[in-house]
Amino acid sequence: MVIEPLLLTAARIDTFDGPRPLTSASGFFFARDDRLYLVTSRHVLVDEPTAHFPDRIEIELHTDASNLTLSTGFSVLLYAERRSVWRQGADSGGDIDVAVIELDRAALPPTAVLHAFTPAHLQQSLDDVEVGSSLLIVGFPLGFHDTLHHLPVVRQALIASSFGIRFQGHGYFLTDARTHRGASGAPVVLRDADAAARKQPLPWKLLGVHSARLDMGNRDTVQDESLGLNCAWYADILLTLTAPPDDGAEPADATSSPRKSAASPTGSGA
């Protein structure tokens, strides 16, 4: 069975508070040097406005390259000594809705099957990507996926704002796509024609991390349809969040959070 590597970059994420399931979301793998990371939206891991405070996540991993029906769950604790294990970022525009968790390669199943983006997949020049360019968002909207082969689905998207200009001063650009809850944390990718011509195994540019739908607060829900626009945070933040610590210090602009508590956490996980 031949499977497109792009589909093996994404992972379905389930969040839990102890044994209690909370939400479902999307994520993807990013490798730098010999380290492997899971990338998702920061609000999947903690979201104060909705009192969403999971203490662990679980991702699904394929365990047999020739039989994609075989998979296993891999659990990751979100806190160690009451400190978050993920890294999240901020810049001059405020908090960035992207988080990374380093995965212990030695703890993964020895036959785990996955593909990871690398720094080489990041777009080097913002001016080279035109508005209206065709994109893909690879994820698990509303948790929907191929439950037999444990694969994500792909939604088409367009770049809806100038890729070279931070929208309203924030670290994201806009996409025009039909998205749903559960797609948060999905990779936003652009086909790399040069890499495809060279027959590279993963011929895609990683442009962003899908975060949330964008809408007008004063929209008349009876007369006006949703804008159909979404926020995608620039993927180059991953270079900061995966930078090697300098003498034990956090990389620049990366932070961790103390464990929060809530009497009845629910959260959106969207």
Side-chain angles (χ1 to χ4, degrees):
M1 178 183 297
V2 178
I3 182 66
E4 294 176 76
L6 179 63
L7 297 180
L8 295 175
T9 63
R12 183 167 62 89
I13 299 176
D14 291 312
T15 66
F16 295 85
D17 180 22
R20 184 165 65 95
L22 298 178
T23 61
S24 177
S26 302
F28 61 93
F29 301 106
F30 186 83
R32 185 171 184 179
D33 301 324
D34 60 345
R35 297 177 181 270
L36 178 66
Y37 300 88
L38 176 70
V39 183
T40 190
S41 295
R42 183 260 190 186
H43 74 259
V44 170
L45 307 181
V46 62
D47 190 42
E48 291 88 348
T50 60
H52 176 63
F53 301 114
D55 59 13
R56 71 179 180 93
I57 60 172
E58 187 172 296
I59 61 175
E60 190 171 29
L61 297 172
H62 291 92
T63 56
D64 190 329
S66 61
N67 184 357
L68 295 180
T69 66
L70 300 179
S71 70
T72 187
F74 183 77
S75 186
V76 180
L77 295 177
L78 296 179
Y79 295 89
E81 298 180 354
R82 299 185 63 83
R83 300 291 298 180
S84 62
V85 300
W86 71 84
R87 288 178 175 174
Q88 62 193 51
D91 63 13
S92 59
D95 290 338
I96 294 174
D97 192 21
V98 176
V100 302
I101 298 176
E102 184 173 356
L103 302 177
D104 182 358
R105 287 185 181 270
L108 297 177
T111 58
V113 181
L114 59 89
H115 284 273
F117 296 102
T118 70
H121 291 100
L122 300 177
Q123 179 65 30
Q124 298 299 315
S125 173
L126 300 183
D127 297 332
D128 291 341
V129 180
E130 297 180 346
V131 66
S133 296
S134 180
L135 309 173
L136 297 181
I137 300 176
V138 189
F140 302 83
L142 299 178
F144 182 80
H145 63 294
D146 181 343
T147 56
L148 176 61
H149 300 102
H150 315 286
L151 292 172
V153 296
V154 174
R155 304 307 298 256
Q156 291 187 329
L158 297 175
I159 294 181
S161 66
S162 174
F163 188 74
I165 300 177
R166 293 156 50 97
F167 189 77
Q168 294 184 345
H170 298 290
Y172 58 75
F173 60 97
L174 299 188
T175 64
D176 182 349
R178 187 180 180 189
T179 61
H180 299 79
R181 290 183 300 108
S184 290
V188 180
V189 299
L190 172 71
R191 183 73 171 177
D192 187 342
D194 292 338
R198 297 193 305 271
K199 297 184 178 181
Q200 296 295 314
L202 193 58
W204 298 91
K205 286 291 187 181
L206 177 62
L207 297 190
V209 182
H210 172 74
S211 174
R213 289 167 290 181
L214 185 70
D215 207 351
M216 297 292 291
N218 60 352
R219 178 173 63 89
D220 187 319
T221 58
V222 176
Q223 299 187 64
D224 304 315
E225 295 183 2
S226 170
L227 290 175
L229 298 175
N230 312 274
C231 303
W233 295 86
Y234 289 103
D236 61 0
I237 183 63
L238 297 180
L239 292 179
T240 296
L241 298 184
T242 62
D246 182 12
D247 296 327
E250 292 279 356
D253 294 330
T255 60
S256 61
S257 301
R259 175 73 168 108
K260 302 292 177 102
S261 60
S264 179
T266 54
S268 65

